Amino acid sequence: MIEGVVLAGGRSRRMGTDKALVTFEGEPMYLRATRILKEGGCSMISVISRSPLPGDESINGFWTDVHGGQGPLDGLITALRNVQSPYFCLLAIDLPRVTPPAIARLWRTIDENETLDVAHLSAPSGPQALAACWRSRVLERAESFFDSGGRSVHDLVGGLRVATLAVSDSELLNVNSPAQMPGAEAE
């Protein structure tokens, strides 16, 4: 069983409305991320959100951030505390162009190399640790990093054993505001 976790718990300040419910190419962003994970091979999907979201048959559960919504690292720690398998795929809703084949490449990479802590996507513009597969064993290190004041997932990754899988910049399009929403409309 491969677990997938959707990060949908951001404050959506730049978007102006709950980003999870904003449609991108006809789908609410949280359901789009759920579908991408499912089509990428994840059989059990959970969503981390700040506010209640409509359920869907493809979602197995909803979680809230363990530290009250202190950014993506809080979401990662929430996932690390709750997943049941040795690794899981994580996808932030603001990365709507990640493809199911990229998700499959991530979990295959981490599945084939026990020494890896994380496998993440990277484009020429830079790496993206919120489109990644994480080993559950990273929990203690992530919590220690958080407790010492760290809040950057990117900085946490810097101290781990990482595989980087190349994708295009367009696949790692990061959508945080209406201006970054080509072909989409906010609801």
Side-chain angles (χ1 to χ4, degrees), residues 27-96:
E27 295 175 285
M29 289 175 75
Y30 82 104
L31 291 178
R32 183 180 182 89
T34 299
R35 178 185 56 76
I36 291 166
L37 288 169
K38 184 75 86 179
E39 290 176 7
C42 297
S43 57
M44 186 171 178
I45 311 287
S46 298
V47 176
I48 300 172
S49 63
R50 292 180 61 78
S51 56
L53 295 170
D56 185 83
E57 62 189 32
S58 61
I59 298 171
N60 299 92
F62 288 91
W63 304 327
T64 56
D65 289 321
V66 296
H67 296 289
Q70 294 190 42
L73 183 59
D74 190 5
L76 174 61
I77 290 170
T78 300
L80 289 164
R81 283 189 182 180
N82 286 285
V83 295
Q84 303 297 309
S85 53
Y87 63 83
F88 63 96
C89 294
L90 181 73
L91 183 58
I93 61 168
D94 53 9
L95 299 168

Side-chain angles (χ1 to χ4, degrees), residues 15-24 26-31 54 178 181 184-187:
M15 188 61 74
T17 188
D18 188 349
K19 199 183 317 180
L21 298 172
V22 170
T23 59
F24 187 93
E27 295 175 285
M29 289 175 75
Y30 82 104
L31 291 178
M181 299 279 298
E185 72 261 1
E187 290 194 345

Side-chain angles (χ1 to χ4, degrees), residues 72-135:
L73 183 59
D74 190 5
L76 174 61
I77 290 170
T78 300
L80 289 164
R81 283 189 182 180
N82 286 285
V83 295
Q84 303 297 309
S85 53
Y87 63 83
F88 63 96
C89 294
L90 181 73
L91 183 58
I93 61 168
D94 53 9
L95 299 168
R97 290 222 170 118
V98 170
T99 64
I103 296 298
R105 284 177 50 216
L106 287 169
W107 67 257
R108 286 186 184 116
T109 298
I110 207 160
D111 187 61
E112 293 169 358
N113 189 339
E114 177 65 32
T115 66
L116 291 175
D117 295 316
V118 63
H120 63 89
L121 298 180
S122 183
S125 59
Q128 183 48 265
L130 302 181
C133 278
W134 289 82
R135 289 229 183 255

